[in-house]
Amino acid sequence: LLVMTTICTLLLAWGNSVYQKALAEKEKELRMDILRTFGVPFTEDTFFSAFNDAVEIEKDKRTTYYFSLGESKQAAVITTGSGLWSEIEIFLLVDIDSETIQELRVLSHGETPGLGGRIEEEWFLDQFVDLDISEGVKVVSERADVPGEVDAISGATRTSDAVMLMINKALDGAMSSSQ
């Protein structure tokens, strides 16, 4: 029994070590992506100092805001929310000066393939590029050329609504924190 406990403990410790390294690498890649989108030059050697000099981080319960300290006001936001079947994690790049979304990415989800899982399809994500957010984001069944409107995913109303709610909460936080 002692031998089995020792083996299990060592395997768990090793698994945790591998997981922590992968998590740290994922965070580093994300932060490098943020620097690139903010237009901050860096090399592998200068990455950490460039990030610390160019980005301010704020966090709340389910959202992390990365604010550019450069001339243009930009925010990269990572937030999570509840979809129909799973937690959805998104990355949002916002130009605060022009009140537009520059990019939306779905980082993870467990929604139904072919329905809610369509949130990661290019046609859905492309609707958010240069989207006017001055009046928030509305997911609708038929767009009427109103600022902030995007097409919902047919058959995935709850997932579409969840993404809209996550985006609007993230935008409220980004806009109010940048003041």
Side-chain angles (χ1 to χ4, degrees), residues 132-166:
D132 180 343
I133 55 171
S134 59
E135 298 177 32
V137 174
K138 297 169 207 78
V139 178
V140 296
S141 56
E142 291 184 37
R143 286 197 292 192
D145 201 29
V146 174
E149 283 191 348
V150 294
D151 288 324
I153 298 170
S154 181
T157 304
R158 283 195 177 155
T159 303
S160 297
D161 289 345
V163 170
M164 178 184 66
L165 182 64
M166 292 167 51

Side-chain angles (χ1 to χ4, degrees), residues 16-147:
N16 185 52
S17 171
V18 169
Y19 174 75
Q20 292 300 324
K21 286 178 185 174
L23 196 59
E25 188 60 31
K26 181 182 173 189
E27 180 71 18
K28 182 179 178 184
E29 287 175 22
L30 179 69
R31 289 180 175 204
M32 285 180 164
D33 237 8
I34 290 168
L35 284 179
R36 283 186 204 100
T37 57
F38 287 171
V40 176
F42 67 93
T43 65
E44 188 75 29
D45 296 334
T46 64
F47 160 69
F48 288 106
S49 62
F51 188 85
N52 290 333
D53 293 343
V55 179
E56 178 183 321
I57 302 173
E58 291 183 24
K59 293 184 179 191
D60 67 20
K61 294 176 193 171
R62 302 179 86 173
T63 307
T64 304
Y65 301 93
Y66 300 88
F67 293 100
S68 170
L69 298 175
E71 290 180 24
S72 65
K73 285 187 171 182
Q74 291 181 303
V77 184
I78 298 173
T79 189
T80 59
S82 298
L84 177 60
W85 300 113
S86 70
E87 288 289 303
I88 299 171
E89 183 179 34
I90 62 172
F91 171 89
L92 193 62
L93 180 62
V94 180
D95 186 315
I96 295 168
D97 291 332
S98 66
E99 293 187 316
T100 58
I101 292 176
Q102 298 301 301
E103 180 182 2
L104 173 67
R105 277 189 249 162
V106 176
L107 300 177
S108 66
H109 75 87
E111 298 298 288
T112 307
L115 292 172
R118 296 182 69 201
I119 59 174
E120 63 185 356
E121 290 182 4
E122 194 171 323
W123 73 268
F124 182 73
L125 299 173
D126 284 349
Q127 298 180 91
F128 294 90
V129 176
D130 293 325
L131 183 68
D132 180 343
I133 55 171
S134 59
E135 298 177 32
V137 174
K138 297 169 207 78
V139 178
V140 296
S141 56
E142 291 184 37
R143 286 197 292 192
D145 201 29
V146 174

